Amino acid sequence: MSYSEEVREQAREIIARYPEGRQRSALLPMLHLVQSVDGYVTPEGIAFCAETIGITKAQVAAVSTFYTMYKREATGDFLVSVCTNTLCDVMGGQRAFDALSEYLEVGDNETTPDGKITLEHAECLAACDYAPVMTVNYEFYDKTDPDAAVALAKSLQNDERPRPTRGARLCTLKELSKQLAGWDEDRPGAVGDTASGDASLAGARLAAEAGVTAGTPDPETPLIKKEDAS
């Protein structure tokens, strides 16, 4: 597709964030930008990133296939990821995935015909203390089960956005990609519900009780190149 002048201006804004000679560092947010437009990283998006940054399409494709947050096939508005790794599996993660698969009539990495939901296995969502967990566009829904998982899917099909267990309010994959490209959340009150889970704060509480704090970094500390450190 041909990208609008607005998108091209946003791409230039991204590149301008980086020092001269370091424009290649703009690739990650640039990939999020094209994903926010197309819903996934298309061949046209790869060509756009390559041309704008001044690198090859092969270099862009290599990065886009390395990170799982960049989707290379059409993806639904809501990416539903169910952890089926060891602990979540033992706690019922696979059963939740199977219930969703049966209800949505799609398998792993498949999208419903209406383009609304893509279902995927997740190797690990780094939330074992809330197992079994699932995410929708990377927002957490903790301690799920087959019934809760299907109920969540039904809500998404009804254009509802159930509040995640933790974190900001739910947004679409395109809206999320725009944020990851570096633009502030522009939905009124979208981050008003941000909260942390109790288990996630256990370490911070123990540190506070023990009087342990992190050292204050000195912003004037020079960055030493490897060749200068010898």
Side-chain angles (χ1 to χ4, degrees), residues 154-173:
K154 289 180 178 179
S155 295
L156 297 175
Q157 289 176 321
N158 291 329
D159 295 323
E160 300 170 6
R161 298 191 183 187
R163 178 177 172 178
T165 307
R166 296 172 281 132
R169 298 177 192 177
L170 191 61
C171 63
T172 66
L173 185 64

Side-chain angles (χ1 to χ4, degrees), residues 24-143:
R24 183 172 177 173
S25 298
L27 179 54
L28 296 183
M30 279 283 291
L31 286 168
H32 284 302
L33 176 65
V34 296
Q35 185 163 271
S36 76
V37 177
D38 300 322
Y40 67 110
V41 179
T42 64
E44 293 81 2
I46 288 177
F48 175 68
C49 290
E51 177 186 356
T52 306
I53 298 174
I55 57 180
T56 68
K57 289 188 286 186
Q59 290 171 318
V60 177
V63 173
S64 69
T65 55
F66 182 83
Y67 296 101
T68 59
M69 289 185 76
Y70 301 123
K71 301 304 177 185
R72 293 302 308 278
E73 296 182 356
T75 304
D77 293 332
F78 299 101
L79 175 66
V80 176
S81 311
V82 184
C83 183
T84 55
N85 210 340
T86 305
L87 181 56
C88 280
D89 187 15
V90 169
M91 299 298 288
Q94 184 64 53
R95 292 193 295 275
F97 180 90
D98 291 342
L100 281 168
S101 181
E102 179 180 0
Y103 170 72
L104 296 171
E105 299 183 342
V106 296
D108 182 36
N109 284 318
E110 293 182 353
T111 302
T112 54
D114 61 4
K116 188 160 290 187
I117 297 175
T118 296
L119 178 65
E120 69 172 6
H121 279 286
E123 179 64 20
C124 182
L125 295 174
C128 299
D129 40 355
Y130 301 102
V133 295
M134 60 184 289
T135 61
V136 179
N137 294 341
Y138 309 109
E139 298 292 352
F140 282 98
Y141 293 85
D142 301 326
K143 298 181 179 179

Side-chain angles (χ1 to χ4, degrees), residues 184-202:
D184 291 338
E185 171 60 70
D186 57 6
R187 293 177 297 132
V191 297
D193 297 328
T194 300
S196 299
D198 185 66
S200 302
L201 299 176

Side-chain angles (χ1 to χ4, degrees), residues 4-20:
S4 67
E5 181 55 35
E6 179 183 5
V7 173
R8 293 178 180 277
E9 176 58 32
Q10 290 168 340
R12 289 190 286 269
E13 288 183 35
I14 289 174
I15 292 175
R17 299 170 189 164
Y18 298 90
E20 185 69 28

